[in-house]
Amino acid sequence: MAQTRATELLQMQDAFSPYPLHTQEEIANFYYETAEARTGDKYSDFVESMVIQVLDSGNSALHKLFIGHAGSGKTTELFRLYQRLKEENYFVCFGRCDIDLDSGDVEYTEVLFYILDLLIHKAQEKSIYIKESVLDDIIAYWTSIQEIDISAYQQKELDVEGGFKAGIKLMSVLEIMAGIKGILKSSEETKRQIRQCINPRSSELMSRIKEVIDNLEEELQRKNYPKLPFIILDGLDKIPLEQARKIFKENGSKFSELPIHLLVTFPIALTYTEEYRNIQIWLPNPEKLPMIKLKNWVNDHYELEYTEGIEVMRKIVEKRADLSLFEENVLDLLICQTGGYIRDLFRCIGKAAIRARVRRVNTISMEDAQLALNTLESDINGCYSSDLIPAMKDIYMGHKHVNSSEEITKLMQVGAVLEYNGTRWCDLHPLVEKWLLEHQKFGEN
């Protein structure tokens, strides 16, 4: 459903939907520039930086990680990039690994398969010719891995002449790959069997992908489009850390071998591990999307009277709703207690709006907001164990430039600790700090 700006409470659920902005209209209506509030530099806009890097890269392929907390706005930024690259006439594919793959159980070969699937579907969408020999190789590869009845496809080809034959074969490939994708997402036993066949033959899968890419590059050059396709993979930041290690550390070289521009989301918790430097061998110069900082930590203290982050958050909300829907000081409370975390702020606004609607009133009260924050506080503080409290006390006491400890990795993963500025300074989520202080978990200071 299309989002609309709320002028009354009944519109708040649509206005503060948890789903990212993805269409040009939604971005134009609701997006607010946050680069300076995130990084301290107004010239650090992620999208414009990426577009310039691509335009300046010539025939050199970019392979990059995109890092940020879940719910910080990464997917919206990726859709902005997708729209900008289309404006520059790039052959660009956007993949949601968290939706199209089994993000709770995914291996690198399935990510490679997904890249192949995206390339072929985009070629069909843009009416870009794929050679019959390339399609034959794809069919042969997948039919050798799993028995697929292709007699119907062969019969179709017998009935078709000349140039139309390739169209039938392309549809055959799409149907086969749709079946494989369905198995990889839903059928555990068959998935295991296919993996046993695919993993030892991953080099053949790489060859099929490269054949498609070579084909596309020829066609794109002939049409005077930029030569290299661009693949955006969202959702890999949500996979379990052990699987992420296998995909990015043990098999990162596979992705760096692909002659395409590739941008993939990456778990922020893994940036605080020893593996992170090794992963950057294959996927160098990562891009980061830090949280919007509501406080500014400079030279071991908070900068006095720093208000830029709060003002940016107010502007984000104002893009989506009339501020008169909040009673005095209510929005400021919600902003300050959610720590610059857009997802948490939107969740609390939505919950508070529902309570106000139940009360049959026209504005969100302080009590509505506080009860919504109480629910969020309970959820966050139920996600970590007591053995992590000493690490949180260190952060509270001023040790905000964190190290690569296992404790910080876990706290980042559950959102109890938030990174700001992309320079490895962090802070406790305000609701975590509030709960720990109220329950005297830090003991004597």
Side-chain angles (χ1 to χ4, degrees):
M1 180 182 294
Q3 291 174 293
T4 57
R5 186 174 186 273
T7 57
E8 50 187 333
L9 289 183
L10 62 86
Q11 298 169 319
M12 293 290 261
Q13 302 310 309
D14 284 344
F16 292 93
S17 163
Y19 299 107
L21 306 176
H22 67 282
T23 67
Q24 287 180 315
E25 180 181 9
E26 287 177 346
I27 291 169
N29 289 340
F30 299 113
Y31 183 79
Y32 186 79
E33 176 58 57
T34 61
E36 187 169 7
R38 293 181 188 272
T39 67
D41 176 19
K42 66 180 180 180
Y43 299 111
S44 62
D45 178 71
F46 160 72
V47 171
E48 289 309 308
S49 172
M50 279 301 305
V51 171
I52 289 171
Q53 289 179 62
V54 172
L55 293 175
D56 290 354
S57 65
N59 293 327
S60 300
L62 300 175
H63 300 99
K64 298 175 77 69
L65 304 172
F66 186 38
I67 300 163
H69 286 279
S72 63
K74 293 194 306 300
T75 301
T76 291
E77 294 296 322
L78 291 175
F79 275 122
R80 286 182 64 224
L81 176 61
Y82 176 68
Q83 298 294 348
R84 283 286 285 112
L85 290 172
K86 289 200 298 183
E87 291 173 7
E88 298 291 342
N89 287 324
Y90 272 86
F91 181 99
V92 55
C93 306
F94 194 116
R96 292 291 303 271
C97 298
D98 52 333
I99 294 175
D100 295 330
L101 300 177
D102 180 3
S103 59
D105 180 19
V106 62
E107 296 188 355
Y108 81 98
T109 48
E110 286 140 43
V111 179
L112 290 173
F113 160 75
Y114 189 43
I115 289 173
L116 177 61
D117 186 61
L118 289 169
L119 290 169
I120 293 175
H121 273 90
K122 181 61 68 171
Q124 180 200 34
E125 177 188 317
K126 297 180 73 67
S127 300
I128 293 178
Y129 173 70
I130 298 181
K131 297 174 184 176
E132 189 171 340
S133 60
V134 174
L135 298 172
D136 282 335
D137 286 346
I138 294 171
I139 291 174
Y141 176 74
W142 287 111
T143 53
S144 67
I145 286 176
Q146 184 191 35
E147 291 194 16
I148 298 174
D149 181 8
I150 63 170
S151 59
Y153 308 141
Q154 293 170 334
Q155 182 59 47
K156 290 177 186 176
E157 292 175 9
L158 293 174
D159 298 332
V160 181
E161 296 295 332
F164 294 100
K165 186 174 181 180
I168 294 296
K169 191 158 289 183
L170 174 60
M171 295 306 297
S172 300
V173 169
L174 292 172
E175 289 180 33
I176 290 171
M177 296 186 73
I180 297 291
K181 189 160 66 176
I183 290 169
L184 292 175
K185 188 172 182 180
S186 60
S187 176
E188 292 300 322
E189 177 58 27
T190 312
K191 179 198 293 186
R192 184 184 62 81
Q193 294 172 3
I194 289 180
R195 282 176 173 174
Q196 289 177 343
C197 296
I198 292 177
N199 290 353
R201 299 173 56 186
S202 62
S203 59
E204 293 179 58
L205 177 56
M206 288 288 291
S207 295
R208 302 291 79 79
I209 297 172
K210 289 178 180 178
E211 282 182 352
V212 170
I213 293 170
D214 289 343
N215 186 141
L216 289 172
E217 289 182 353
E218 290 178 17
E219 292 298 307
L220 292 171
Q221 283 188 300
R222 190 173 63 81
K223 295 174 179 288
N224 294 318
Y225 292 153
K227 177 183 177 182
L228 297 182
F230 197 116
I231 302 287
I232 298 171
L233 293 182
D234 190 18
L236 288 177
D237 55 315
K238 299 179 177 69
I239 65 177
L241 293 188
E242 285 307 311
Q243 292 191 349
R245 287 184 170 96
K246 291 179 181 178
I247 290 173
F248 291 108
K249 181 177 182 289
E250 298 177 18
N251 297 286
S253 61
K254 303 292 193 304
F255 301 105
S256 68
E257 292 172 16
L258 295 174
I260 56 173
H261 298 304
L262 178 66
L263 181 69
V264 297
T265 57
F266 181 79
I268 191 170
L270 274 187
T271 67
Y272 291 90
T273 64
E274 295 177 356
E275 295 98 331
Y276 183 47
R277 182 175 292 276
N278 293 330
I279 290 167
Q280 290 184 69
I281 295 172
W282 315 118
L283 298 157
N285 304 317
E287 299 290 333
K288 290 188 176 182
L289 190 72
M291 303 296 292
I292 296 172
K293 58 182 180 181
L294 304 187
K295 301 177 181 178
N296 195 26
W297 185 256
V298 181
N299 297 326
D300 297 327
H301 67 274
Y302 292 118
E303 180 183 343
L304 296 177
E305 299 181 359
Y306 178 81
T307 61
E308 285 87 341
I310 293 174
E311 289 304 314
V312 167
M313 295 298 281
R314 287 179 64 86
K315 293 291 186 183
I316 290 172
V317 173
E318 191 173 16
K319 276 276 189 174
R320 295 171 179 260
D322 192 323
L323 297 188
S324 64
L325 296 174
F326 300 88
E327 293 181 8
E328 187 176 2
N329 298 325
V330 167
L331 181 56
D332 286 344
L333 173 72
L334 289 166
I335 290 171
C336 291
Q337 290 297 298
T338 50
Y341 206 155
I342 294 175
R343 181 179 65 183
D344 282 357
L345 175 62
F346 283 14
R347 170 186 168 179
C348 288
I349 289 175
K351 190 169 185 63
I354 290 172
R355 185 175 188 275
R357 291 270 290 143
V358 171
R359 293 193 300 114
R360 306 265 193 263
V361 296
N362 298 321
T363 57
I364 297 172
S365 71
M366 191 66 75
E367 186 178 35
D368 296 327
Q370 189 59 65
L371 288 171
L373 289 167
N374 290 348
T375 300
L376 178 60
E377 178 183 321
S378 176
D379 289 347
I380 297 174
N381 286 299
C383 290
Y384 57 83
S385 57
S386 60
D387 62 321
L388 297 176
I389 290 177
M392 290 189 283
K393 181 178 180 180
D394 283 345
I395 294 172
Y396 174 72
M397 296 299 294
H399 300 105
K400 301 187 186 296
H401 297 278
V402 295
N403 54 36
S404 300
S405 68
E406 183 179 350
E407 290 83 2
I408 292 299
T409 300
K410 291 178 180 178
L411 291 168
M412 286 278 184
Q413 192 175 8
V414 300
V417 169
L418 306 176
E419 181 186 280
Y420 296 97
N421 274 75
T423 56
R424 288 207 157 192
W425 86 264
C426 68
D427 219 340
L428 299 179
H429 191 297
L431 294 176
V432 171
E433 180 177 313
K434 174 176 174 288
W435 188 88
L436 291 169
L437 289 173
E438 287 178 348
H439 291 79
Q440 299 180 346
K441 296 296 183 178
F442 289 158
E444 293 293 329
N445 288 343

